[in-house]
Structure formats: structure tokens, C-alpha cells
Amino acid sequence: LARHGGDELVVVLKDLGATPAEAAARAEEAAQKMLQAMRAPFVIDGGEPRHSTLSVGIAIFQGQHESADELLKRSDMAMYEAKRAGRQQYRFFSPEMNGRARSRLMLEESLRHAIEQDDFVLVYQPQIELATGRLRGFEALLRWEHRVAGTISPGVFIPLLEETRLINRLGEWIFDQGVRQCQAWRERFGEQLLLSLNVSPVQFGMPQLVADLRRVLEVHGLQASQLEVEVTESALMQDLDTTREQLRQLRQLGVRIAIDDFGTGYSSLAYLRHFELDTLKIDRLFIANMLDSPKDAAIVSTIIDLGHHLGLEVIAEGVETLEQRDWLIAHHCTTMQGFLVAPGLPVARASTFPTRLDWSSWQPDEPPHSS
């Protein structure tokens, strides 16, 4: 067992069997044991339980013509396949992975070029208070308009930005653009408008996060109370000591803190007791199925009640139908966002969005209008 990089370990197993099939079976057994061992929480120095995930890539040595570098390269490709499959899994190397690896390298190079050429843009999705129709604010969403391939899905490029740590380079630009735009909207929307910015697990773990946010707020003269930082449950649970310190500093700075995609991560209710938070965002998967699935409806209802009891605002993401909106209103959900009202809007369209929707006359197939 050896450390190969910052968060990469190499395990060399030998004498696995006389045939490739036997070697593969024993390597698989070893991978399963490692994954099982990592499922249990770790307690260090009597502190809070810590969780970690493992992604395992397996390459079998085929003969003397193979070098150690080639073996490592193959296992690395297999490991990335395991990560893309959702982590806490293992994958064996296959020849098809060579093609995918080349595609990944090309995409990574395109990402670097896009950052240098300013090919990324922010769009702004409105967040609406369900009871009143009032515009709460906007969530800034990152989009990539490739000069040849067109619009690239965030589900494709954002994981790669995080894996390559390029998100740190782009993060400063996102903070600057978003805060600058929110300040520019001050006369149009007032000082109560909130801007929500997503912070990836990679960014959340960086020690300069709060300093970067403080600097950009000071440069553009935006009140900290108008900024909301969105982090996922998995980001919070990576390192509880770091999380507590980051949240303490964010709270001291005066920004709001939201948990994104609530209910899909570790979902440990203990952190709701220990961490100071402002907002829970219900994952769109629960919203999409809640009218047809009693279990999903029960989960959404429980999260809403939990938020109210803890004094937290609850935002339903991915609301697409009037029926979903009406159900959320009946169950006293605070806020919604989704295609029912608007997708992410370019700055020009977001700037003309009404400050209040009239639910009594508004229809989703018509442009939103003020009451």
C-alpha cells in the first residue's frame, strides 16, 4: 500500500492465481473488502464521526511487456470510471476506456481554453415566494457555450471542473460576476434581493473561501446579507472540523448558508443541530415524483416541517407544474424555483423579471407579469 498522490493510494496485490480469471476474482474480493471498510464512519481523537468514500480502479498485469507506468495508467482510467458511476464502487480496466480517456483529455483541454477565452456565462433562475408570489432572488447558474459544439451540459463539465481543480480558477470569476450583477440590480429590485451562488466541495474546503467572498463583496459594495452560499450535504460532511470553521467564518461575514439537494447526500440530521444554517433546498428528484409517490410526498412534507421547526427557509427545486406548486403551497413550503416560472435567464431577461407574480392570473405558458 502506497500513497501515489494527495488523495490517491495504490494497492499492489500479488500471487492472485494461476489464471486471469482467478486474479480478477481475488482482486474483486479485495476491492469489495476495502469498500466495505470505508462505509463505516471514522472517529478520530474522540471527535465527530467522519465519512469518506472510495473509488477503486483495477488493472491486471498481463505480462512482462507491460510497464509499471502503463499498469498505473490503466488503473487510473478505471478509477475515474468508478468515480463517474457514483463513487464507492470499483471498476476493472477495459480497452474501451482508452477512447473515453482520450475524450476526457480533449474535454479537459477545451475547459482550460474556455476559461482563458471567457466562454462561460452566468444565467439567473428566479426564486419565488410561494405564499405571495414575491421575487426572493436569483440563483446564478454556470453555462458553457462551446464555440464549436454549442451548449455543453453542466452535468458533463462541472464534475470535470471539480476533478481537475479548475473550479478554483473559475470560482473567483463566478463570485465576481454574480456579486457585480446583484449590485447592479439594486435600483431595479431593491436591497432585499438575494443572490445564491453554488460552492463546490472543492471550493468549500479551500481556506481562502471566506477571504475571496469578503473581497468581492467589498469591491462591489454589496451587503453580505444579500449573498447566499449553497453547499451540498456531501461537502459539509467531508471534514467536520473544517466545516464548522468555514460555517463560523461565513456566519461572521454575514452571508446566508443554504444546503443544496437536501435529502440526497449523507442526510445525517446531526449536522442540522451542530451547524448554523439558513435554508434547505429540496432536491428536484423528490419534487418530480411527489404527486405520484406517497413516499416522496412524505419526504418532501417532512423536510418542510423540519425546516419550519428549525427556523429554516425551505426552497423546492425543479417545480415544473401548477399541480406541484399548489401541493407545495398547501403544505406551507416557503419558496420555489423551476421551469414552471423560468429556467436560468440571461442577464437582459432577468433584469426585466417582475418583482411579484400574480398567482391568481398567471399561467406558465405566458410570460410572467407583475400584479
Side-chain angles (χ1 to χ4, degrees), residues 72 77 90 130 134 145 147 162 164 167 179 213 224 232 265 276-277 329 360 369:
L72 282 171
M77 290 181 196
Y90 64 89
L130 280 159
R134 186 183 76 87
E145 295 296 329
R147 302 191 179 196
E162 294 177 355
T164 57
I167 191 66
V179 170
L213 289 173
T232 61
E276 291 190 59
L277 308 169
I329 290 175
S360 64
H369 57 277

Side-chain angles (χ1 to χ4, degrees), residues 23-40:
R26 293 190 180 179
E28 184 174 22
E29 181 181 355
Q32 289 174 340
K33 287 181 178 179
M34 287 187 283
L35 291 170
Q36 183 61 38
M38 295 295 287
R39 287 192 178 96

Side-chain angles (χ1 to χ4, degrees), residues 171-180 195-199 203-204 206-225 227-231 246-247 249-251 253-257:
E172 293 184 23
W173 177 87
I174 294 170
F175 294 160
D176 184 77
Q177 292 294 307
V179 170
R180 181 200 303 269
L195 173 73
S196 295
L197 291 176
N198 291 280
V199 174
Q203 292 172 286
F204 189 73
M206 299 299 289
Q208 74 272 19
L209 171 64
V210 175
D212 288 345
L213 289 173
R214 179 182 291 110
R215 177 189 55 78
V216 77
L217 287 168
E218 291 174 351
V219 167
H220 298 296
L222 186 72
Q223 299 178 76
S225 59
L227 181 62
E228 183 169 67
V229 172
E230 294 190 17
V231 294
Q246 287 285 49
L247 293 181
Q249 292 187 31
L250 288 169
R251 178 69 61 188
L253 181 60
V255 304
R256 293 174 60 90
I257 302 163

Side-chain angles (χ1 to χ4, degrees), residues 341 349 353-354 357 362-370:
V341 169
R349 289 184 60 195
F353 197 86
L357 301 183
W362 180 80
Q363 294 294 323
D365 56 350
E366 298 177 356
H369 57 277
S370 299

Side-chain angles (χ1 to χ4, degrees), residues 134-208:
R134 186 183 76 87
L135 176 67
R136 173 198 190 258
F138 295 95
E139 179 182 356
L141 302 169
L142 187 65
R143 296 291 182 263
W144 179 16
E145 295 296 329
H146 193 281
R147 302 191 179 196
V148 176
T151 302
I152 307 296
S153 168
V156 172
F157 71 82
I158 288 180
L160 188 55
L161 281 173
E162 294 177 355
E163 286 179 17
T164 57
R165 299 298 196 265
L166 289 172
I167 191 66
N168 289 329
R169 287 178 56 188
L170 201 56
E172 293 184 23
W173 177 87
I174 294 170
F175 294 160
D176 184 77
Q177 292 294 307
V179 170
R180 181 200 303 269
Q181 186 57 57
C182 190
Q183 175 63 9
W185 278 330
R186 183 174 182 176
E187 184 176 345
R188 168 74 177 88
F189 295 112
E191 296 182 1
Q192 300 303 310
L193 185 78
L194 290 176
L195 173 73
S196 295
L197 291 176
N198 291 280
V199 174
S200 76
V202 173
Q203 292 172 286
F204 189 73
M206 299 299 289
Q208 74 272 19

